[in-house]
Amino acid sequence: MQDAEALARLLAGGVDPNEVFSNVTLLTHAIDAEGDAAAQTGQPLNVHSTAVLLAFGADPVLPDPDGDTPMDMARRYGHDLAIRLLEAHISRGCTHGG
């Protein structure tokens, strides 16, 4: 949760929610980090960083430079919470590309 709070402060300060870093979008990275953390700790998946990024306008369908979308990453981990959030944003048309 501390990461999500720090992320929210950065985004509120003007960081682009669709920024690409190390060949992934921030949203795809957040979903990967949430899935990886749950896999390594055995704790339930959380969706804190994903929700923060979507709240600050991250595009839920924006692919990274390799063509992977946030939904691709969420499906890889079976991250149902992220999938449901992404679907809700997509169905409302909350995308920059569409």
Side-chain angles (χ1 to χ4, degrees):
M1 188 63 173
Q2 291 174 343
D3 289 341
E5 291 170 5
L7 178 60
R9 283 193 293 278
L10 289 170
L11 293 165
V15 169
D16 179 1
N18 293 307
E19 183 175 320
V20 174
F21 181 75
S22 293
N23 222 35
V24 294
T25 65
L26 291 179
L27 185 55
T28 301
H29 173 73
I31 294 166
D32 183 35
E34 291 165 352
D36 188 55
Q40 288 188 29
T41 65
Q43 296 294 314
L45 284 161
N46 75 66
V47 73
H48 302 137
S49 295
T50 296
V52 167
L53 281 159
L54 290 168
F56 276 91
D59 188 336
V61 297
L62 182 68
D64 62 28
D66 291 331
D68 288 323
T69 66
M71 188 67 78
D72 294 332
M73 185 64 69
R75 287 187 176 129
R76 248 180 245 135
Y77 280 106
H79 194 335
D80 292 335
L81 294 172
I83 290 169
R84 289 169 62 192
L85 267 176
L86 292 166
E87 288 174 343
H89 280 263
I90 293 165
S91 71
R92 288 189 300 231
C94 299
T95 66
H96 291 108

